[in-house]
Structure formats: structure tokens, C-alpha cells
Amino acid sequence: MYGCETEPMSIYHLDRIFHPHAVAVIGASERAHSAGAALMSNLMGSGFKGSIHPVNPRYSTVCGLACHPGIMDIGQPVDLAVIATRISTVPHLIEQCVQAGVGGVLILSAGGQKSGAQGVAMQARIRAAAAGSPLRMIGPNSLGLACSRCKLNATLAPRMPPEGRLAFISQSGALATAIFDAAEKERIGFSYFISLGSMVDVNFGDAIDYLGNDGHVSSIVMYMEQLNCARRFMSAARAVSSIKPIIALKAGRTPPGALAAMRHTGAATGEDGIYDAAFQRAGILRVKTFEELFDCAELVSKQPQPQSAGIVIVSNAGGPAVMAADALADYGVEPAALAPETTARLAEILSPMWSGGNPVDIRGDASPQRYLEVIEALLKTPKADALLIMFCPNAMNDPTETARLLVPRLQSQSIPIVTAWLGGASVEAGRDLFNRIGIPTFSSPERAVRAFMDLYHYNRNLEILRQTPVKLPQRLSFDRPHADFLVERQVAGGEPWMSEVDAKQLLTAYGIPVNPTWPAVSADQAADLANTAGYPVVLKIDSPGHAYQSCWEGVRLGLANEDQVRQGFAHLMAYAGSQPAGHAIRGITVQRMIGPASAELALTVRTDPDFGPVMAFGWGGVVTDIADDRVIALPPINRLLARRMIEGTHIYRLLKGYRDRPPADLLLLEEILIRLSQLSTDYAQIQEIRIDPLMVIETTLSAVSARICVRPTDVPAPQHLVIAPYPNEYETPLWLPQTGDILLRPIRPEDAPLLKNLFAMLSTRSIYYRFFAPLKELPSEMLARFTQVDYDREIAMVAVRENAAGQEEILAVGRIIKALDPTTAEFSILVADRWHGRGIGAALLHLCLRIAKAQGIRKIWGCVLAENTHMLALGRKLHFNIQRGQDLGEYELRMDLDDLPDGEFR
């Protein structure tokens, strides 16, 4: 579900779970093969430095430790309570943990929603037991939790994972133990292991958020079967993926797999294509197999990100080199071209047998020294952004000695280096040498190439997400009053499916071009409407129960005169009368038959139970069911995302012009997709929109057929979306005596050029006051971070005005960034030098503070340099509490927002 069953809770309290000082084990035991005994053994054997408190009324001691009859009897604060008892006992134990002030609970008990209706009810009881308290819960059905840094092994796994910087979140305990075994061999280390189980409280979004804020985590790997709280997940993933790689293995890709996953977790897994779209939008790299997850995790944990797909292949055998080149070609990539100076140097080393290209075949008799000389030359070439070094054993070479000679040269390189030492026992020692210094090694050329391309695609997707979307030539406008009327009337009427006439009116209200359609109640009226529309015309039966009239004789095409229209009307009415009583018929519609079309497109929106509104674009008409040609996206979308949807389809080749087919108006098509996205954003009642076909006729586009389904909903817009849209409600017009009319509004991704212009107008002093460092320009990554904000996480407002040329310019930027504790936040304000002293900064910051208070933020703070007298004066004007910071050159400005008067955002 895209909304959570409980109110979102702070990850601030998770620190007591992941870094506890005192752990209580409820259900501790010495009975062989019991969960309580295994848990005690792991905790005591992991080197945990905190205190361990067994809780079980049946024992006086467990593992040599005094055993307490209940959690209330421990006599000191408990950070983490691990429950290893029957699921039926858990609600009562949770109530006791709340009373004892326990920080968090880890529930290993089996049961919950995976056991059916009774399990769902049990999870509801568990939630109710913790309601209203800050207690956070992981599980049930959890394998446990491990934190290498604090030597905590509160799991049922047979061993502690090796220490490292990779964090692993999993819904499957068995998969986790298998990964730990393999990781030990490949020398991959983990900072955390978190088994979420049935996610009664802590979910993927919470875990990602916490790990993203931990400096000891370099990357995150996930095994997922189903998702809850999709909006929380998307918000966390979008924030963290820009600074740390996130890799996901989502099971249930196929119908049999989805069924197996549902039986395992007790919840549906969701449509796989939607997960693909969500992961891509969130900057997550998705892999399909356990092997690929492990391979990619190894590469991510050990190697830098590639700047391009320019990889150079080195091999002592031609066959593996060809296999690697073929594997690259499967991704549409060719081996990198070699620089002339590199080619000349390799010719000196390898002549006369060298082929002169990439892959670089150094022949079967290659000595360790020849390997080293070739690698030295390739590391100096400017066109090599990655190296794949392969070794195929034979009687003329030594795999271990070759690896030993290469290891010192390959350490600490700035480009990704991947090795494939092919074979079995004879190459194991060489592989181990590479693993020891953090160079991943694979058993086949294909696995090595796949792991590299996964890493490249992750980096490339982040670059695309950071691109600045171009503004549309004009600001879009919508007829909201008429749209409100149409939607509310349909909901009040009780019939979910709009008539085609009303559906097209709703699309027209949002500026989507349609082929006009009129209802006819008689043959005479149909003829009159046809004369008005112009021949030829199309007649359709308007029925809420049928999506494709042409499939059930519900349409008459190409009617060229009044007689044909009357005959067609009579035929359709007779046919409608012959249908079963359950097939409601509203009447007959008339529209002009347009065409011929150079292409027919399908644009759809439907409500997914996990992700809310989901858009799709692709080939339309009769081809829709034949060709699997669609791209899925999550609204809201901008122009860049709309273009990516279009370019991701096969029909794009036709749309950009093909042979005698002229190019379609792609700018108009982008605009239509954005308008459709806005329609689904504004109305949570809309369950489905289907425009099929949207006809492309030369450079015009027109929706020929449209169906829209609306239903009552308890979720108000825009909370039905999993990605927070632009908050129009915060737009505030303002008039200032020395400035005139300005607009205070949220920042948009399209504002990157305007923000760059603002930075160019700042003095060196203003830059230093804002960034606490001398910056000459804003890097593209920083521009993207400042403008592509998550409106759920950050309040970022700008003051803009129209200049003499009629274009917007940014005068000031205000920002409030929430802390781990969502009731506290940090503020910043930046005003262009020429606009100082005109009240712009005060108005902007005051609006930001009001928005923060409305969002539940209670305490605001900011750090100001002592010489920044303008900002200190602004702080006094707005009644901040100003105190010297720990650094004598800084002041801290603080405010309790409970003291800020309520009112409009003015």
C-alpha cells in the first residue's frame, strides 16, 4: 500500500536498536536447538561489549548469566529487547516493553501475516500494543540483526558476518546466511545485516534512511519480496541513492515466483514492471538473480564507479576474450578504442603476433612480466575507464605468480578493475590474492562483464536523474472548476465509469487534445450531429462495461452520409438491446472520423495497490495487445521524464520520422504526458484513465477514445502519490515597497539555470557566508541536489520576479532540512547582494518557518558566521534566540516554532 497503516515514525529512535548498550533476550534458553539458546550463544560469542540480560521465568540462570522473570525486573534501561517466544505471547510482551521504556524490539517469533487472517490480526494486536509510544519494532519472522562495528550478533545465523562497509537488508533469513557464507570466501565485509521479516513497523524505507545517515556504510544491498509504505520507501531511496549505491534483488518477477513469494510473506508482490519503474526513478540498481546480487555487491563494495562503459579486455586466450566482447555487445556496448600511443606501446610488447585492437590478446604463453607490462601501458591510456583482466590456465603459465605480480600495481587505482581467473582449484590462490586487496574476481567472462555493466548502468542512471529538465515553452494552465464538477458529479452518481463525452470533457479541461464527441438519443439527432461534425463519422455504443467497442460490434466506422448514420444508429440500438441485462448502455455517441494516422498511441493511468497512480505509454490501437511496447512511470513527471518515456518505446523510431512518415510533434506529446500526470496528481478519486488510441496525424495529436474510472477515496490528493508533487499551495504572491511584485514559491528542478545565475551574481563574501567555503561555481551535482528536492523531506523556497525581458529570476533561496528527528530541522537563507535590505529574506524565511510548523517541525536552528551581520540582524528581526557557538567565530540561531503565531503562509 502506498500509505502506511501507522503514522510515519522517526528513525531517530532506531539508534538504540542498531547500537544498543543493553540487550534483553526474552525467551532465553539453554535448550538445544531452540531459538533462545542459539540467540544467546551468538550474542555472547560475538564479542558484544554491552550488557546481556536473559529473560525467562523458567530459569534462574542462562549461559552463566542471571535470568530475569520479566523485562520489568532487569532494573536498568534496556535499548533492545529480542523476543524469541511464541507469536501469541508477543502483544503482551510489547506492552511490558513499552512500560519499561525499552528503545526497540526485535521479534524473531514466527507467524504474522504469512500465516493468513489470524496472523494479520496478530500483527494488528502487536501494533496496537506499541501505539502512542516511541518503541520501534522489527519483525515478526525476523532472522535478527547484526552490527559489525559494535560486535552485535542478535541473529539466528550460524556465524557473524565479516566486518566491512556493505549493509544488507533482507526479508529472507535463509538467503542472508547463504550470502554470509559466500562473502567470507570472497572477503566481502558487512557493516549491518537487518532481517525485516513481516515489517510490522520498521520497513525498507526506515532501514534505508538510517543506513544512509551512517558514515560507516558505503553501499546498501536489499533482498525484497514485497513492499509496504511505498511513499516512505521512495523518499528514502531517492535521498540515499544519490550518495550511496543501492542494489535490489526483487523476487516474484514471474507469476509462479509471485505466488511463491505471496505464500512466503503473506502479501502480494505487485506488478514487476512497476517495481522496475520505481527502482529506476529512485536511483536503485535492480538485479535479477542471487548470483548477480552477490557479484554486483562485490564490485560495488570494492571498486570506484566507472565514468563510462569504455572497458579494455586483456586475456591470454582468444576464446574468453571473444566471449567477453559478445557479453558487452548484449548490452549494446563495444570494447573501448585504444589511444594511438597505447597501441604503439602494446605493439612493442606484443609484436609480431598482436592483432592491434581491443580485446588485447597477449597469447597463451604470456608470462607474469608480459601481463604487468601490458597492464602498465593500459593504465596510462586516457580512453580506458575500466579494465577486465582474464587468465586462462595452461602448462606454460602460473596463475598465482601472475596475480602476485599484478597485485601491487592494481591497488588503489581510480578506475574499476575486474578480473576473471578461469578454472578451478589451480586458480584459487590467485583469486584469493585479488580478493585480499579488494579487486573482485569472477569465474567467467560473462559474469565479470555483467557485474561491470550493472555498476555502469547504476552510475549512468544517477547522471540521468541529475539532469536538469527543460521548461516547457509556456506555463500549463488547467480548468480546475470544470474538472472538479465532472469528477464530483461522477462520484456522487455512484457509477465509476464516466461516459466518453464526460471523459473527453475532463481531458479537455486539462488541455489534452481530443476528437470531440456528442451523445445522440435518436437517429435524427445522430444525423444532425454528423452533419455538424462533418463526414465521415463514427458511431459508438457508450457502455461502462466495455472498453473496446470494436471487439463486440459496438462501433460503426466511416459513415459517409445521413442514410448510413441512420442505419448505423438503428443497428447499434438493436445490438445494444440484444445484450444481457448486466451490460448497461448509456446511448450512442457521434464523432468525426479523423485520419489516416501515421501512428496510434496508448496513454494510461491506473491505480496500483502499492504505488498508487502509475502511468504507461506505448503503441496503441490493435497493436497494444500484440506488441509488448510500453514504458511505465510514476507521476508526477516533468519534461525530461516524459521524453524518457517516449524514447524508451519501440514506436519512438516511428515518431521521430521514418521513411515517408513525418516526425510527430514530440514537444506536444511531452506536454500531453505532463498534463495527464497532473490530472492523476490532482484527483485521488481517479482510478483509471485510458486514452487509446491517441492518433498521430501528421503533426497533430488527438485522443479518439477515452475511458476514465473514478471512485470515492479516503486518501486526499496528493497523498495518494508515492512521490511528493510540487506543492502549489505554498505559492505566495507578495508586494514589497522597494521591490514591487514578487512570488515566493517552492523550488523546481527546472530552476537550475536560474539558481546558477543567482550564484553568478553573489559576492565572494556572500558565497563564504552561505557555504562556509570559497566556491567559484556550483557543480552540476550540487545544482541537482539543490533543485531536485523531495518535498516530503525538505522545504526549499525561492523568491522570484519577472525581469525586464519577461523572464523569471531568483532573488533569494530559503531552505529547511529535517533532521533524523523529524521535529527538528536546520534552516539556511541566501539573498542576492543587490537585493539585500529590502525585506525579501525576512519574508522568505518567515514563510519557510510557517510551512515547517505546519509540517510538525518544532525546533529550528542555524549556524551563522560572526561577521555575517545581515543574517544576525535578520535573526533578531524574526525573534530567534542567538547564542555564541562552540566555535567563537560562529553564532547559533534557534527558535521554538510553538511560539510562532499560526496563520496563513503570508
Side-chain angles (χ1 to χ4, degrees):
M1 63 203 136
Y2 41 91
C4 293
E5 292 182 27
T6 56
E7 289 295 318
M9 298 179 69
S10 169
I11 63 168
Y12 178 67
H13 300 286
L14 292 182
D15 202 54
R16 291 185 69 185
I17 296 181
F18 295 143
H19 295 94
H21 298 290
V23 177
V25 180
I26 303 176
S29 172
E30 292 183 340
R31 182 166 54 85
H33 308 300
S34 69
L39 186 61
M40 287 296 297
S41 175
N42 284 345
L43 273 171
M44 298 186 68
S46 63
F48 177 59
K49 301 301 182 183
S51 58
I52 303 172
H53 304 276
V55 176
N56 194 327
R58 297 180 180 180
Y59 299 95
S60 57
T61 63
V62 172
C63 299
L65 298 176
C67 192
H68 306 276
I71 191 76
M72 304 287 291
D73 302 305
I74 292 177
Q76 71 176 74
V78 173
D79 298 300
L80 173 64
V82 187
I83 298 178
T85 62
R86 295 188 310 276
I87 190 73
S88 59
T89 67
V90 172
H92 178 63
L93 293 173
I94 295 295
E95 291 174 352
Q96 293 181 341
C97 288
V98 170
Q99 293 173 17
V102 173
V105 174
L106 181 61
I107 307 170
L108 308 189
S109 314
Q113 65 184 18
K114 67 183 294 183
S115 58
Q118 287 185 336
V120 172
M122 177 58 67
Q123 287 196 185
R125 289 179 57 197
I126 293 172
R127 288 193 190 94
S133 76
L135 183 77
R136 302 305 309 267
M137 300 176 290
I138 296 177
N141 301 302
S142 172
L143 183 78
L145 165 72
C147 174
S148 298
R149 183 154 51 98
C150 60
K151 306 297 182 185
L152 173 71
N153 183 11
T155 76
L156 300 180
R159 61 173 57 85
M160 182 82 171
E163 185 171 356
R165 293 174 57 81
L166 189 70
F168 183 32
I169 314 169
S170 179
Q171 277 183 286
S172 169
L175 184 67
T177 57
I179 283 188
F180 292 159
D181 287 344
E184 192 169 16
K185 177 183 176 183
E186 298 294 334
R187 297 184 183 273
I188 299 176
F190 294 85
S191 52
Y192 292 91
F193 163 65
I194 305 169
S195 173
L196 294 175
S198 297
M199 298 186 293
V200 70
D201 173 28
V202 175
N203 52 47
F204 278 102
D206 294 321
I208 290 171
D209 234 343
Y210 183 87
L211 298 172
N213 284 279
D214 191 319
H216 294 85
V217 174
S218 62
S219 51
I220 300 170
V221 173
M222 302 187 298
Y223 171 79
M224 176 187 296
E225 292 178 356
Q226 50 91 206
L227 185 66
N228 63 7
C229 299
R231 182 160 175 153
R232 179 89 179 87
F233 169 79
M234 291 294 293
S235 178
R238 291 174 68 209
V240 173
S241 67
S242 62
I243 55 174
K244 299 178 182 182
I246 303 177
I247 307 162
L249 172 58
K250 166 64 174 68
R253 294 185 295 110
T254 64
L259 180 60
M262 183 172 67
R263 288 169 176 165
H264 182 211
T265 64
T269 61
E271 184 178 330
D272 197 62
I274 299 175
Y275 275 88
D276 271 340
F279 289 158
Q280 186 178 46
R281 184 75 174 270
I284 295 173
L285 173 62
R286 183 179 185 180
V287 297
K288 293 183 177 180
T289 65
F290 170 78
E291 180 184 75
E292 188 180 2
L293 177 72
F294 186 76
D295 289 348
C296 193
E298 182 174 13
L299 194 56
V300 163
S301 68
K302 294 180 179 180
Q303 292 292 296
Q305 296 180 19
Q307 298 304 307
S308 77
I311 190 169
V312 178
I313 301 166
V314 180
S315 177
N316 67 340
V322 173
M323 293 165 66
D326 283 344
L328 278 176
D330 288 340
Y331 291 95
V333 174
E334 295 183 0
L338 300 176
E341 59 271 23
T342 306
T343 303
R345 174 58 185 143
L346 291 176
E348 295 176 7
I349 302 170
L350 301 174
S351 291
M353 301 294 292
W354 183 44
S355 61
N358 179 18
V360 181
D361 185 352
I362 63 176
R363 304 193 302 275
D365 63 347
S367 64
Q369 186 60 37
R370 186 187 300 167
Y371 260 100
L372 182 61
E373 290 179 4
V374 168
I375 299 305
E376 289 275 10
L378 292 174
L379 287 174
K380 296 176 182 177
T381 185
K383 295 187 177 181
D385 286 313
L387 283 181
L388 168 55
I389 308 170
M390 295 192 292
F391 184 98
C392 193
N394 58 52
M396 296 177 288
N397 50 41
D398 185 339
T400 306
E401 185 58 32
T402 301
R404 182 176 290 110
L405 192 63
L406 292 179
V407 158
R409 186 65 183 90
L410 297 180
Q411 282 183 300
S412 303
Q413 289 299 318
S414 60
I415 63 172
I417 295 175
V418 183
T419 64
W421 254 225
L422 311 182
S426 65
V427 299
E428 281 298 326
R431 289 177 179 168
D432 187 61
L433 288 172
F434 288 127
N435 282 325
R436 286 176 183 273
I437 65 165
I439 293 178
T441 181
F442 301 98
S443 60
S444 71
E446 293 87 353
R447 282 182 67 181
V449 168
R450 182 184 62 194
F452 168 74
M453 290 306 300
D454 279 342
L455 190 62
Y456 167 71
H457 284 145
Y458 165 77
N459 195 46
R460 176 62 181 149
N461 188 46
L462 283 187
E463 289 178 0
I464 292 172
L465 291 175
R466 291 170 183 153
Q467 289 178 1
T468 301
V470 180
K471 285 185 176 181
L472 287 165
Q474 74 284 338
R475 184 163 184 174
L476 302 183
S477 60
F478 311 99
D479 186 354
R480 282 296 301 271
H482 188 52
D484 288 346
F485 168 75
L486 291 169
V487 171
E488 290 168 6
R489 183 179 67 179
Q490 193 70 33
V491 170
E495 165 56 50
W497 288 99
M498 283 185 166
S499 69
E500 185 171 13
V501 173
D502 285 353
K504 285 187 174 180
Q505 284 190 25
L506 183 56
L507 295 180
T508 300
Y510 268 70
I512 298 172
V514 303
N515 188 28
T517 299
W518 301 273
V521 296
S522 68
D524 288 341
Q525 187 181 16
D528 289 342
L529 290 170
N531 289 330
T532 302
Y535 293 98
V537 297
V538 176
L539 300 187
K540 295 181 185 178
I541 293 177
D542 186 5
S543 170
H546 293 84
Y548 303 101
Q549 291 95 335
S550 59
C551 296
W552 56 284
E553 301 185 26
V555 61
R556 285 292 178 267
L557 303 174
L559 306 181
N561 53 54
E562 282 193 27
D563 289 341
Q564 291 183 8
V565 170
R566 294 177 188 278
Q567 292 172 13
F569 186 93
H571 178 90
L572 290 178
M573 289 300 292
Y575 180 78
S578 68
Q579 296 303 297
H583 290 199
I585 305 297
R586 291 194 182 98
I588 307 297
T589 62
V590 181
Q591 60 182 293
R592 179 171 180 157
M593 185 170 179
I594 61 175
S598 59
E600 294 187 0
L601 308 174
L603 285 67
T604 63
V605 178
R606 66 179 180 83
T607 300
D608 179 79
D610 292 326
F611 289 94
V614 176
M615 298 179 64
F617 168 80
W619 215 305
V622 296
V623 184
T624 302
D625 298 328
I626 301 172
D628 184 16
D629 184 34
R630 66 168 186 164
V631 171
I632 295 173
L634 301 177
I637 66 170
N638 54 34
R639 190 175 172 187
L640 177 63
L641 295 172
R643 177 54 69 105
R644 287 181 68 185
M645 288 184 74
I646 298 167
E647 292 178 348
T649 59
H650 298 304
I651 201 173
Y652 172 62
R653 295 181 60 193
L654 185 62
L655 294 176
K656 64 182 181 179
Y658 185 76
R659 294 185 179 176
D660 62 336
R661 304 286 182 95
D665 187 341
L666 295 180
L667 177 59
L668 176 58
L669 184 54
E670 291 172 12
E671 181 182 323
I672 290 172
L673 285 168
I674 293 170
R675 289 180 178 276
L676 187 65
S677 166
Q678 190 63 45
L679 178 57
S680 68
T681 296
D682 289 342
Y683 294 97
Q685 302 97 316
I686 293 179
Q687 300 297 298
E688 185 175 340
I689 304 173
R690 185 170 190 87
I691 301 173
D692 185 9
L694 177 76
M695 281 192 172
V696 181
I697 304 172
E698 295 182 349
T699 58
T700 66
L701 295 101
S702 181
V704 172
S705 179
R707 287 173 56 81
I708 298 178
C709 177
V710 298
R711 298 182 190 276
T713 178
D714 295 329
V715 182
Q719 294 303 314
H720 66 304
L721 303 175
V722 295
I723 298 174
Y726 177 84
N728 291 289
E729 65 272 21
Y730 296 152
E731 290 190 349
T732 305
L734 188 67
W735 183 87
L736 295 173
Q738 300 181 55
T739 310
D741 291 321
I742 64 173
L743 176 66
L744 309 182
R745 64 165 174 81
I747 202 164
R748 299 189 183 104
E750 296 87 348
D751 287 331
L754 302 183
L755 191 61
K756 195 171 183 178
N757 293 339
L758 169 68
F759 186 86
M761 293 189 296
L762 296 175
S763 65
T764 303
R765 177 177 293 180
S766 291
I767 293 172
Y768 184 74
Y769 285 166
R770 169 61 182 87
F771 298 99
F772 288 45
L775 291 177
K776 293 186 177 180
E777 64 177 1
L778 286 178
S780 58
E781 296 85 358
M782 190 177 290
L783 269 175
R785 191 167 72 248
F786 286 165
T787 56
Q788 298 179 24
V789 302
D790 181 345
Y791 298 113
D792 275 344
R793 289 175 170 260
E794 187 173 346
I795 301 166
M797 303 290 291
V798 292
V800 298
R801 70 186 285 269
E802 282 195 2
N803 58 25
Q807 297 177 333
E808 275 191 337
E809 63 174 327
I810 293 179
L811 315 180
V813 183
R815 207 173 285 273
I816 292 182
I817 303 173
K818 297 175 185 177
L820 288 180
D821 178 355
T823 64
T824 64
E826 180 182 6
F827 79 91
S828 66
I829 191 82
L830 174 65
V831 182
D833 291 67
R834 62 177 291 211
W835 301 105
H836 284 179
R838 305 195 188 193
I840 298 173
L844 187 60
L845 182 54
H846 195 240
L847 176 59
C848 288
L849 295 176
R850 289 188 177 279
I851 297 172
K853 182 177 181 180
Q855 292 185 3
I857 296 172
R858 292 291 169 260
K859 298 185 183 300
I860 290 282
W861 70 279
C863 190
V864 179
L865 292 173
E867 58 266 36
N868 190 352
T869 54
H870 286 291
M871 187 62 233
L872 291 173
L874 176 58
R876 285 188 288 270
K877 180 178 180 179
L878 295 179
H879 306 292
F880 275 89
N881 179 21
I882 302 175
Q883 300 289 337
R884 279 278 187 182
Q886 293 183 350
D887 185 335
L888 295 181
E890 298 175 357
Y891 283 93
E892 286 188 356
L893 277 63
R894 296 185 178 274
M895 179 184 289
D896 189 333
L897 292 184
D898 289 335
D899 299 331
L900 190 72
D902 293 324
E904 297 294 324
F905 300 135
R906 299 284 178 185

